[in-house]
Amino acid sequence: LLEADEKAAAQAEGRTVAALGHHADVAQWEEIAGALAPNGIPGEMLGEALEPINDRLAKSANETEWLRVGIESDMTIDAAGRPYALLSESERWRVDAMIAEAVSHLSGVRLLVLDRVDVLDMAGREDLLYWLDGLAADGEIDSALLFATLKALPASLPENIEAIWIENGIAGKVMAAA
C-alpha cells in the first residue's frame, strides 16, 4: 500500500512538472503571437515604413496644392480627413498619383507612369504638369509617362515636356495643337 502511494505521488509530481512545462510553452507562444500581431512587430515596422511615405505625400500635397494624403497603420487612406472611398474620381486619381510618386521616389526608380490623366480638368492637368516639371528640375524623377484621351495635343507645355499623339496605333505629332 505504501508503495502504491509513493508511485501515485511520483506520477502526480511528474504530471505537475509536465504541466508546468506546457504552461511555459503556452506562455512563450502567446508572447510570440503578441509580437507577430498587427499591433506588435509588424505594426512597428509598418509605422517606420509609413513615416517616409507620409512625409513625401505631405510634400507633394504642398507642391501641388492638392488634398493632403495620409496612409494609416491599418493601411486606410484618407485625404484631408476624408476616407478614400468618399473622394471624387479626380480626387482619387490625385491621391493615387501622389502615392505612386512617393513609392517611385522612395524606391529610387525615378520613373512615374500615370494613366487616365484626362480625369483631371484643365487646371488639374496644369497642376500635374508643373508638379512633374518641378520634380524633374529638382532631379527627383528622370521620366514621367502620362496617358490621356484628348481631342488634340496640348497647346503649350513646359520646355522639357514632349507630347506624342497616338492614333490607330501609330505614334507621332499628327494632331495640331489645340
Side-chain angles (χ1 to χ4, degrees):
L1 195 54
L2 190 56
E3 285 179 19
D5 287 344
E6 282 181 17
K7 185 177 178 182
Q11 287 176 343
E13 185 174 332
R15 285 192 290 264
T16 300
V17 168
L20 287 172
H22 293 309
H23 174 74
D25 289 344
V26 169
Q28 287 177 336
W29 281 109
E30 285 180 346
E31 187 176 330
I32 291 169
L36 296 177
N39 61 349
I41 295 170
E44 292 171 12
M45 290 173 64
L46 183 60
E48 290 173 11
L50 285 178
E51 186 175 344
I53 288 175
N54 283 325
D55 290 346
R56 186 66 181 190
L57 290 170
K59 181 181 185 291
S60 294
N62 288 336
E63 291 174 356
T64 59
E65 297 182 6
W66 292 346
L67 298 173
R68 183 170 176 136
V69 178
I71 302 176
E72 305 299 324
S73 60
D74 64 357
M75 297 308 288
T76 57
I77 300 169
D78 71 60
R82 289 186 301 156
Y84 182 86
L86 298 181
L87 301 175
S88 72
E89 183 179 16
S90 66
E91 287 172 329
R92 281 184 294 212
W93 190 95
R94 289 177 179 114
V95 167
D96 293 344
M98 289 190 287
I99 291 172
E101 190 283 326
V103 170
S104 171
H105 175 77
L106 294 170
S107 69
V109 172
R110 302 172 55 88
L111 168 70
L112 190 57
V113 179
L114 301 172
D115 193 11
R116 299 206 54 233
V117 173
D118 50 290
V119 167
L120 300 174
D121 62 12
M122 293 306 286
R125 292 176 199 170
E126 185 175 332
D127 292 342
L128 171 66
L129 291 177
Y130 282 100
W131 173 48
L132 296 176
D133 187 49
L135 291 173
D138 294 343
E140 295 188 34
I141 61 171
D142 292 329
S143 299
L145 303 176
L146 308 178
F147 299 93
T149 300
L150 303 173
K151 293 180 182 180
L153 287 173
S156 63
L157 294 170
E159 188 176 302
N160 63 344
I161 295 178
E162 179 182 4
I164 297 177
W165 188 265
I166 300 174
E167 187 170 349
N168 297 324
I170 300 172
K173 296 181 183 180
V174 296
M175 295 295 291

